[in-house]
Amino acid sequence: QNAHELEENEKKYLPCNGSKSKAIILAASQGNLGAITNDTPKTLLKVKGKTILSSQIAKLKKVGINQITVVRGFKKDKIKNSSLITIDNDNYEHTGELYSLYCARDSLKGKIIVSYGDIIYRSYILNDLINDNNDITIIAEADFNPEGVKKDFIQTDKPYSKLLMGSPVKLHKISNTLTTSEICGEFIGLFKANINGTKIIKNTMNSLSKQSGFSEMTLIDLFNQIILKHPIAVKFIKGSWLDIDTVADLQKANNSLC
């Protein structure tokens, strides 16, 4: 999508009231970007003069979400903001993002937006999530690159198409190891849950927490467990976001429209 299309996308979404929603940002990881993350959490890397975290906070507040919880880990004392609720995952070196979400389980109440701490995205995506009526909905990139390491690829009941026109799409599987023919998109690290959805997530996490290896589980494990009993909806986007995993990603983000 070009700049004009992105601007029109944001305009076409009516301003929404997210005041009844809350957010959790999973920002415990150090990242692996060489010297620039030796002493700085990845979420505090700057894109166009603003940290990734502050950019997310600004977008959340723009849609009326003011109760924001951040799960900290590496160099946690550097993440300070009087407007935030902070929860610490002091075992961040040996745990995955699911464990970070589990640390914040007491904040999983009511309507919630959950985001990885190393992504940037356009504001209209939040509007779309807040206005969504499904119990649990994840955002997926339709224009995916099948190459790469540890990407959260998804398989859905129907592939992305412009003809979907808002038709419901259900998650069938999420994995790092789907074959190219199975991949329908890539989970970007952003999802929402309504009141019933948060209950489902908490109950599923509580069940998984009793299994060996829980500390190293990821959201992939959570979602795959949930869909055994309850559907998860998928909303496709094309562009409008970036994740910061490498120095090249950081350079790209500084030249992006997000």
Side-chain angles (χ1 to χ4, degrees), residues 112-116 119 125 128-130 132-142 152-156 168-175 184-194 201 219-220 222-224 226-227 230-237:
I112 199 89
I113 299 284
V114 179
S115 173
Y116 289 166
I119 62 172
I125 301 174
D128 206 5
L129 280 177
I130 290 169
D132 180 84
N133 293 320
N134 294 288
D135 287 339
I136 303 170
T137 300
I138 68 173
I139 298 293
E141 169 62 70
D152 297 340
F153 292 122
I154 65 164
Q155 183 181 40
T156 54
V169 179
K170 293 181 180 179
L171 180 68
H172 271 191
K173 187 178 182 181
I174 178 168
S175 173
C184 297
E186 178 189 355
F187 171 56
I188 76 166
L190 183 66
F191 72 94
K192 78 97 193 186
N194 62 15
I201 290 170
L219 291 186
I220 287 178
L222 175 68
F223 293 153
N224 281 330
I226 288 173
I227 59 177
H230 193 91
I232 292 178
V234 176
K235 282 190 176 292
F236 286 113
I237 60 172

Side-chain angles (χ1 to χ4, degrees), residues 20-34:
K20 293 183 179 180
S21 298
K22 296 176 284 188
I24 298 174
I25 300 174
L26 307 176
S29 66
Q30 175 182 2
N32 187 24
L33 282 78

Side-chain angles (χ1 to χ4, degrees), residues 42-109:
K42 185 160 60 165
T43 196
L44 294 185
L45 295 180
K46 289 189 175 182
V47 174
K48 297 182 179 178
K50 295 178 63 176
T51 67
I52 299 170
L53 180 60
S54 63
S55 177
Q56 286 199 24
I57 291 168
K59 286 181 169 65
L60 289 164
K61 290 186 175 182
K62 183 179 178 180
V63 298
I65 300 175
N66 293 301
Q67 188 171 332
I68 303 169
T69 298
V70 177
V71 182
R72 310 180 299 180
F74 176 71
K75 298 292 181 181
K76 63 183 183 182
D77 292 338
K78 291 195 171 186
I79 298 178
K80 296 178 181 178
N81 187 316
S82 58
S83 69
L84 300 176
I85 300 167
T86 55
I87 293 174
D88 298 337
N89 174 6
D90 291 323
N91 198 27
Y92 66 90
E93 288 186 272
H94 308 290
T95 59
E97 66 267 13
L98 180 57
Y99 187 81
S100 285
L101 184 59
Y102 186 70
C103 290
R105 60 193 179 277
D106 289 341
S107 295
L108 272 172
K109 298 175 182 176

Side-chain angles (χ1 to χ4, degrees), residues 11-25:
K11 290 177 183 177
K12 77 177 181 179
Y13 284 85
L14 295 173
C16 62
N17 182 9
S19 60
K20 293 183 179 180
S21 298
K22 296 176 284 188
I24 298 174
I25 300 174

